[in-house]
Every structure is written in structure tokens, then in C-alpha cells.
Amino acid sequence: MKIIENLSYMPLLAIAAVSILLLFLCVLIRKRKSARVSFITYISLIIIAITSISTFYKLYMGQDYAKSANFFMLAVFAALFLQIPIAIMFSTFEPVKFDSLIPRWKNKHTLAALQNEAAKATAEERQVELSEQDLRLLDVSRDFTVHAVDSYTSDKGITTFLEYINKTIKDQISADGGAILMIDDFEDIISVKTFDGDFPPPYKLPADLPHKPIRVATNFKFATFPLEGNIFGEIATQGRAELITKPETDSRIYQNGPEEFLECGSYIISPMKIQDTVIGLAAFARKHGNEVFNEDELKITSTLCDFAAATIKNVIAVQDIIEQNEVAKEAELASRIQASLKPAKLPLIQGLQFGVFWDPCQGVCGDSYDILVSRKDRISFIMSDIAGKGMNSVVVMSMVRSMLRLVINSMQSAGKILSWVNRGISGESFSTDHFGSTALINYDPTTSSVEVASGGVIPVYLYDGEKNECRELTSPSEPIGVEKTTEYKDFVQKVKNGDIIFTYTDGLVEALNESGQQYSKESLLRVIQENHAKSGKDIARLVKEDVKKFTGSAVQHDDKTLLIVKIQ
């Protein structure tokens, strides 16, 4: 009791101050996330701080010492008691892996975030240990990435980026000349893509090549090498960088001399690899008489080639995506243009019935048809199949259509009209790779006759109602747009009620089933013969159903179009 009564004020203030300080530090630790602090620790410190201040106040105000002391001791006991369960848990329980405490759906992302934070912290710690050279190489690799982005939409594409890589590495190792060579997987060759500076060729020059600097440099700039029998092919095959300081003793190096600029000095040739796959080479040279390359410069080159390979692969991938998108956009635009060229609906003409089956394969259809009523004595039917599916094909298709519409009203025959169109298309520069087949049918209701001409492989058939047979009126000829001087023949045929004139593109009879068999011309003629009594529209529908039944779920690779003209 004597001790309690003489309890000093100052220790109470000291305990309160220390408790508040510890509480502040715990809050700071939690905010900085440098360690975990238990919630019970906060409660214990708050209890001790409040109790110390309260006891001091009671003693200062002259209240009963015994009561105040008992209250203080009881509070301290409670604060300490709260720490016992935590101490028991950490001293006796088995440790649990941190990732098992995270819900499964969060594990992957949470651990990835923690790993990133740890990697960042490690990188920051190691940065102080990096040499000036390492930091310089990191800056170069960053610049590679920046220039790679610029090359995504460059008109020169990847060439500009390769030039930058070549010049950058060349400057880093103080080489006299450098070149980037890329491997063509399809042809198994290595091609020089960019070249800069003085590079004495380590391969045998052509015997008829003049030994002049400009001619030798030009030869190397456009050179290609097989994957064997030369220094470039050997290093590309082995996938290992090489330092060559004594070319005179290396059997793979060819000495072209005796001119001084052809004397071989030292070389560094390093493969550029993506996951152990060599996509190209970086080759650098120092002229004879200059200081030879060393191991440090070989290491720098290899490191930068690794950076370069990754960025080159990214550029190629992105450019492929951009090219595919551009092709898709072009196909969409071309498809819209072509849709506008197709007749919105079939005309109603007395004495005739029409049927159409038009099934484009994908994207832009190369097939088109048209029906033109030009005069009382001429109704024209046009069927075209233009090669290709790009915008140029649509241009050819629209030009054929426009030319035919322009001259169809003339007094010229079908063959002469096709010859005029062919001359116009063949004179265009783009038509060398874009041509097509076109059939023109002129029907004269006043004489009940048809005049037909065909350029290419589109046939025109007649179903003879009296004989119940089909026969071809045309014969294959030169396609439209190939030879400017081609002249097309006319075929004239009288028709009568019940006869059917029809034409189709080759995609119809060449449609494949799942076994790789073609639908065939015979199948088409059979359907038309069996259903000749039906309307033109019904005949076209039955042909479409028969083709679909034959092909099933097989993927088709060509457009299918059929035009039926039934005489009534």
C-alpha cells in the first residue's frame, strides 16, 4: 500500500507518451505497407495510452490512490492479455503459404501483381550495381522499341527499322561497316536487307565483277546466300555469334584482293534469334589494319541482337495485322460497290421468264450478271466471271459492265461488241493480272432468234423443248483482257416457245462435296431437263437446292451463278 500511495506522476506520463508514439508508428507502418500490424496491437496501445492519461488525471485531482492504481494495473493487464492469443498462434501453428490465403479466383492476378512489385523492387536495387555500359545498352534497347513503333505505319515498312538497327549497333562497337541479313524460310536463303559503311566481302565475288568500291558495295547490298557453303549460312545454321580476328587463317573467309579495300580485317557476325529460331544475322566489319574487334564488343553485339530480334518480330507481327485489316477493309468496300452493280430486281418482259441463282463464295464475288432492254429488237443478257476478289477485280467488273451498257444499243453483233470491250480492257495497265470471262446473249423477239458470243470459259446453252435435249451454243476462247487483238465469234440460233437459254460460271459445276467430287455439268443439265416445264424462277431454285444437297457442309472456294431465260 505504501508503494501504491507514493505512485509518481511522471511514469504515467512517460507510459502514455510511449504508447501514443508506438500507435503513431504503427499507423505509419500500415500506410507505407512495409509490414503487417495486428488490429489487437492497436487496441492494446490505445488502452494503455488512455488508461495512463486517465490515472494521471485522477491522481492529479487528488482522487483515491488505491483505486486509481488498481484501475491502471487492471487496464495494463487487459492490454497484455489481448496479446497472448496472437503469441500462441504464431508460436504453435503451422505456417501457411501466402497464396493459399488468397481466394482461387484472385490467386493468379494477385500473385502476378506481387511478383511485378517484387521484380520492380529488385530492379531498383540492382540498378545501382549496373555498369555504365549496361545502362547504355538498356537505353539502346528502349530506342529500338520506340523506332519499331514508328515503322508500323512507315511506307518503307521494316526496311527503315533494319537500317536504324544496323547503324546503331555499328556505332556502339565502332565498326567500319555493317549489314543486316534476314532468312527467307520459304526459299532457305539469307538476303542482305540493309548495308552501311565499308564492309570487305568475306565471300567470293563474281568473276566478272569489276573490283571497284561502288560495284562491290552494290553487289553485297543485293546479295543472297544459301544456308551452307558460306560464313553467313554457317553461323545462321549454328545459331552462335562469332568473333573473327584472323580471317587469313579462317577457311570460311575468302580473300578477294589484291586491292586494299578488299583486304579482310576483323568481323563480328551474330544471329538474331526468337526462342532459339534464327530469323536473321547482324554482320559488322573493321578494315584491315584497324584495331580488331574484342570479346566485349562481341558481347555488346550479341546483347543488342537479342533486343533487335524481339522488336523485329513485333514489327512483322503488327504489319501482318495491319495488312490483314487493310485487305478486309478493301474487301468490304469492294463488296459494297459490287452489290450496287447487281440488278435490284429482274425485269418483267412479255414472252420471257427469268431465273437467277447467285451464290458468292466469300467477300467480293467475281461473278456478275445483267439484263438490258436496249431496243424492241434487242434484249441483252450478260454473264461475267472476273478473276480475283480484290478492288482491281471490281474495277474490271465495273468497266466491263459500263462498256457493254454503252455500246449494247449499237447495231453491232454480240461478237463485235465483246471485241470492243476486250480492246478497252486490255489497254489498261492493271489488266495484266486481272482478266475474266464474259458471255453476251442478244435476244431478238421480232425474229425469235438469239445471237451469242463468249470470251473465256463461260458457256451458253440451249435447251431444245422439242428434242428434250441441251446443247452448247458457244466454244471456249481467249478471256477478256488478255490479248488486245482477239476477235470473238457470233453464234446465231432460232428459238421457240418452251426453249431455255441458260449460262453459268464454272464455280457452279465445279462445286465440291465432302469427298472432293465436283457437282458437274451433267448434274446441272439433268436438273434443267427434268424441270423444263416449270418457270424460270423455279428451275433456278431447284438447281440451287440440288447443288446445296450435293455439297452439304463442304467449304466452297468459288462463286456460283446461273442465269435462266425461258421462252414462252
Side-chain angles (χ1 to χ4, degrees):
M1 295 300 295
K2 185 85 170 170
I3 296 173
I4 295 174
E5 289 176 355
N6 292 323
L7 189 64
S8 172
Y9 298 167
M10 295 309 296
L12 291 172
L13 290 176
I15 292 172
V18 172
S19 300
I20 294 172
L21 177 61
L22 289 173
L23 186 62
F24 171 80
L25 293 175
C26 288
V27 172
L28 187 62
I29 289 171
R30 182 178 180 85
K31 185 176 181 180
R32 291 169 59 88
K33 297 181 180 179
S34 54
R36 299 186 64 136
V37 180
S38 171
F39 181 71
I40 294 177
T41 302
Y42 289 106
I43 295 176
S44 301
L45 291 172
I46 291 172
I47 290 173
I48 293 174
I50 292 176
T51 305
S52 300
I53 295 171
S54 175
T55 303
F56 170 80
Y57 178 78
K58 290 178 182 179
L59 292 175
Y60 183 80
M61 297 301 294
Q63 294 184 14
D64 183 41
Y65 285 105
K67 269 187 192 179
S68 300
N70 287 335
F71 174 76
F72 174 77
M73 291 180 181
L74 182 62
V76 172
F77 175 79
L80 293 173
F81 184 82
L82 288 174
Q83 298 295 324
I84 294 175
I86 297 177
I88 293 174
M89 182 180 70
F90 283 116
S91 63
T92 60
F93 285 15
E94 286 292 327
V96 181
K97 290 184 179 180
F98 179 72
D99 59 351
S100 67
L101 299 176
I102 304 173
R104 287 187 178 182
W105 65 276
K106 288 184 177 179
N107 272 354
K108 182 178 180 181
H109 302 293
T110 306
L111 288 176
L114 291 173
Q115 289 168 356
N116 289 337
E117 289 295 329
K120 187 186 297 183
T122 303
E124 290 174 354
E125 291 174 2
R126 291 185 57 192
Q127 188 168 355
V128 296
E129 302 175 4
L130 294 175
S131 66
E132 182 179 345
Q133 176 179 296
D134 293 331
L135 293 173
R136 179 163 50 88
L137 295 183
L138 288 175
D139 287 339
V140 172
S141 69
R142 180 198 60 200
D143 292 341
F144 282 172
T145 303
V146 172
H147 281 76
V149 174
D150 292 338
S151 68
Y152 290 157
T153 55
S154 171
D155 292 338
K156 292 185 177 180
I158 198 172
T159 302
T160 303
F161 183 49
L162 294 179
E163 290 174 352
Y164 176 78
I165 291 173
N166 183 37
K167 188 176 186 308
T168 299
I169 302 178
K170 173 174 163 285
D171 292 344
Q172 289 294 322
I173 62 175
S174 301
D176 293 319
I180 300 293
L181 303 87
M182 299 299 292
I183 295 178
D184 189 327
D185 293 329
F186 293 102
E187 298 184 16
D188 289 335
I189 60 173
I190 308 171
S191 304
V192 178
K193 296 299 181 181
T194 181
F195 165 71
D196 181 61
D198 296 322
F199 197 106
Y203 60 93
K204 185 178 181 180
L205 293 172
D208 58 347
L209 181 71
H211 284 194
K212 296 181 179 180
I214 186 66
R215 297 295 298 274
V216 172
T218 302
N219 175 267
F220 182 55
K221 187 175 182 179
F222 297 99
T224 60
F225 304 94
L227 290 177
E228 56 183 18
N230 61 88
I231 185 66
F232 299 120
E234 181 176 319
I235 293 178
T237 303
Q238 294 177 352
R240 185 179 64 252
E242 287 204 29
L243 170 64
I244 301 171
T245 57
K246 295 181 178 180
E248 64 277 4
T249 62
D250 194 321
S251 60
R252 300 169 300 176
I253 305 297
Y254 189 86
Q255 300 284 351
N256 287 286
E259 292 81 1
E260 184 178 345
F261 78 94
L262 291 177
E263 289 188 68
C264 296
S266 60
Y267 297 90
I268 289 178
I269 305 177
S270 175
M272 295 185 291
K273 297 189 292 186
I274 296 291
Q275 296 179 344
D276 296 330
T277 299
V278 178
I279 64 172
L281 295 174
F284 301 95
R286 279 185 183 161
K287 294 187 293 185
H288 179 74
N290 291 349
E291 182 182 357
V292 299
F293 288 120
N294 56 45
E295 291 291 340
D296 286 340
E297 289 160 339
L298 174 65
K299 181 180 178 182
I300 291 172
T301 303
S302 298
T303 302
L304 292 180
C305 281
D306 289 340
F307 290 143
T311 49
I312 290 171
K313 193 70 173 179
N314 289 340
V315 170
I316 294 173
V318 172
Q319 286 185 336
D320 286 344
I321 294 172
I322 292 174
E323 183 178 346
Q324 290 171 8
N325 288 338
E326 288 176 349
V327 170
K329 289 179 181 178
E330 179 183 320
E332 181 181 358
L333 177 60
S335 182
R336 290 179 182 177
I337 295 173
Q338 188 210 25
S340 68
L341 300 179
K342 186 171 67 73
K345 61 180 180 179
L346 298 178
L348 296 175
I349 300 176
Q350 186 176 3
L352 296 177
Q353 289 183 347
F354 304 120
V356 173
F357 166 30
W358 186 70
D359 184 18
C361 178
Q362 60 181 358
V364 180
C365 176
D367 294 358
S368 67
Y369 65 92
D370 206 354
I371 300 175
L372 304 175
V373 182
S374 54
R375 305 191 306 260
K376 286 194 297 184
D377 62 346
R378 176 171 289 181
I379 302 170
S380 299
F381 309 96
I382 303 165
M383 176 71 76
S384 294
D385 183 3
I386 306 301
K389 289 183 176 290
M391 184 62 74
N392 284 346
S393 298
V394 173
V395 172
V396 175
M397 180 187 298
S398 62
M399 289 185 67
V400 169
R401 181 177 183 272
S402 299
M403 289 181 183
L404 286 171
R405 282 175 169 255
L406 182 65
V407 299
I408 203 70
N409 197 35
S410 70
M411 300 304 296
Q412 299 298 324
S413 68
K416 180 60 71 175
I417 290 173
L418 274 192
S419 299
W420 284 357
V421 172
N422 173 68
R423 192 173 297 118
I425 297 297
S426 299
E428 299 296 334
S429 59
F430 60 77
S431 66
T432 54
D433 293 323
H434 292 82
F435 53 89
S437 299
T438 298
L440 173 59
I441 305 169
N442 290 332
Y443 171 62
D444 185 351
T446 63
T447 61
S448 296
S449 63
V450 292
E451 179 187 69
V452 301
S454 178
V457 295
I458 293 182
V460 178
Y461 273 82
L462 167 70
Y463 168 76
D464 190 325
E466 284 186 355
K467 298 180 180 180
N468 190 27
E469 66 178 18
C470 295
R471 70 174 184 274
E472 186 174 355
L473 300 179
T474 58
S475 58
S477 61
E478 197 79 25
I480 298 289
V482 174
E483 177 55 53
K484 193 173 183 177
T485 59
T486 300
E487 297 289 335
Y488 296 100
K489 296 179 181 179
D490 290 307
F491 301 87
V492 180
Q493 173 69 43
K494 284 284 188 177
V495 291
K496 55 191 176 302
N497 290 348
D499 288 351
I500 301 173
I501 303 294
F502 60 96
T503 181
Y504 58 86
T505 59
D506 55 3
L508 176 62
V509 295
E510 293 175 0
L512 300 176
N513 63 10
E514 294 176 348
S515 300
Q517 298 172 319
Q518 293 186 347
Y519 179 69
S520 78
K521 175 184 69 176
E522 289 72 24
S523 298
L524 171 63
L525 301 183
R526 173 184 53 78
V527 175
I528 291 176
Q529 278 184 291
E530 291 176 355
N531 298 280
H532 68 274
K534 293 182 171 58
S535 68
K537 183 177 181 180
D538 285 340
I539 294 173
R541 176 181 55 81
L542 290 168
V543 170
K544 180 178 180 180
E545 291 175 356
D546 195 57
V547 172
K548 182 61 180 175
K549 181 180 177 181
F550 175 82
T551 57
S553 59
V555 177
Q556 302 303 306
H557 301 283
D558 200 359
D559 314 310
K560 299 180 283 293
T561 306
L562 169 69
L563 176 61
I564 300 283
V565 181
K566 185 173 183 180
I567 313 297
Q568 289 184 308

